[in-house]
Amino acid sequence: MAVERTAVNPVTWSAALGFNQGEVVSGHTRTLYISGQTAMNGDGAPQHDGDMAKQLALSIDNVEAVLTRAGMSLADLVRLNVYTTDVDLLLVHYGVLAARLGAAGVAPTTTMLGVARLAVPGQLVELEGTATA
């Protein structure tokens, strides 16, 4: 059975920012819960200290790598949580993330939270997701 996704947007402003207020997902057979992904290389070493744009790009690359390993893609994301130590700086560079999601044709429900720090010193952003297929 194919996955059917229905956007639930009682208001329209969120769609312009690249996310839906809600999403009804039916017909799925698999759900993938993705742990927080940061700007770490394949050996677990932090990358791009202090560079939000590069950290954001590598974090979404790492989300995509988990999806790919599970036989999924960014298009399967239904939920994305964004944690950052600097909300204002993240908003300046949010287009990096929005462009990747837009290219995948997806607008997952999203929450952005400002936090005091992340687990790995020097990391500015962490992405956590849920995907269905």
Side-chain angles (χ1 to χ4, degrees), residues 12-100:
T12 59
W13 62 264
S14 64
L17 295 175
F19 69 93
N20 291 316
Q21 294 290 313
E23 202 165 81
V24 176
V25 180
S26 59
H28 69 283
T29 58
R30 296 184 332 140
T31 301
L32 172 66
Y33 300 95
I34 304 165
S35 291
Q37 301 295 308
T38 61
M40 307 284 272
N41 69 15
D43 295 322
Q47 303 295 300
H48 313 301
D49 191 39
D51 189 326
M52 178 66 81
K54 287 183 179 179
Q55 284 193 22
L56 192 53
L58 184 51
S59 296
I60 194 66
D61 286 347
N62 290 338
V63 166
E64 191 168 33
V66 175
L67 287 160
T68 299
R69 181 60 64 99
M72 297 178 176
S73 72
L74 286 175
D76 297 311
L77 276 179
V78 295
R79 179 87 181 131
L80 185 66
N81 295 329
V82 181
Y83 305 95
T84 182
T85 59
D86 189 334
V87 172
D88 293 327
L89 183 60
L90 176 62
L91 290 173
V92 170
H93 298 286
Y94 198 79
V96 171
L97 179 58
R100 290 284 295 278

